[in-house]
Amino acid sequence: MRRAVSTSLVPLVLASSMAGPVQAQVRAVEVRAPRAFGYMLGDLVRAQVDIVVEDGFAIQAASLPQPGALAYWLDLRDIAVSQADAGDARRVRLDLTYQTFYAALDVRSLEVPGFTVSFVSQGASGATTASARVPAWTFTISPLREILPPAKENPQDYMRPDGRVASLDPRPTLFTGLGFAGLALVAFAGLARDRTWWPFRVRRGRAFAAARRRLRGLNGRPDAAEAYREALLALHRGLDETDGRRVLADDLDRFLDRHPAYRGQAPGLVAFFEASRIAFFGNDTARARGRLARPEIAALAARLARAERTA
């Protein structure tokens, strides 16, 4: 008979002896736990199993215990396997993590069931198998609280006073919140002014933004020709309000000199005046739409409105 002796300074060490020719390949089995007491409901219980086998034997993964419920009060949460050389043998270490769900009413000892692990060695004459029996081991669990409190004559003595909490002054937080709210309102007002939202919609200097809104209002008009002429007039009003005077086709160069922010839209404005001349003076709306369609008028108004914001 051969017995393995642990030299590790841990509270719990269990050793399993191997005897006989069948089990000669397994030299020792040791179970170690960090402590054997002090556990309560829901705690994790860890154990370490060292199995020393002859060199050449490998553990069969299928023989390892699978994580899951082992009993109504015990689950195997995790198992990790590591291997290392131990002189002329091989040491296989199993790190097991259990969780206990035993609701103890008093201090008592619980037994973690043992299990068997298989090893195999492939040789020229075939495979040789060996089994190592990991013994059961125990730990002590304690109740979360006492079953009955000590008897007291006055029932109010069972009550405990409320915990003391430092009083907090809410004014700094309130003032900080009001400050951030004010900054948010200022930022929103700046955004509303930039986007010409109410109450900044009618301010001077955003004529093209107003023209763009008039163009949107023409969508869905049944009379396409009349809607096209109104779209031209909306953009004409935007040009006139921007320049503060009536702007005709011959005035376009001087308009762009006075308002250089719109110089990049000169080709579109030239096409706009040509379409306007055809529609109003040539009385040919269809040919005018061929020169500059309504979607192109809306796109031109959008580009002029964007340039207007940066002017």
Side-chain angles (χ1 to χ4, degrees), residues 77 130 178 227 288 291:
R77 295 288 301 273
L178 291 175
R291 181 66 180 91

Side-chain angles (χ1 to χ4, degrees), residues 99-155:
Q99 187 171 18
T100 175
F101 298 99
Y102 190 87
L105 299 179
D106 54 7
V107 178
R108 64 180 53 201
S109 180
L110 299 176
E111 183 178 87
V112 178
F115 54 91
T116 301
V117 182
S118 299
F119 294 84
V120 62
S121 175
Q122 297 291 341
S125 58
T128 302
T129 60
S131 298
R133 177 64 185 173
V134 178
W137 57 279
T138 60
F139 66 93
T140 302
I141 190 169
S142 303
L144 291 175
R145 60 179 180 84
E146 57 187 353
I147 303 301
L148 293 175
K152 299 185 183 217
E153 295 182 1
N154 187 357

Side-chain angles (χ1 to χ4, degrees), residues 10-29:
V10 291
L12 174 64
V13 177
L14 300 177
S16 176
S17 301
M18 301 299 162
V22 176
Q23 301 293 347
Q25 297 87 355
V26 180
R27 296 187 179 183
V29 177

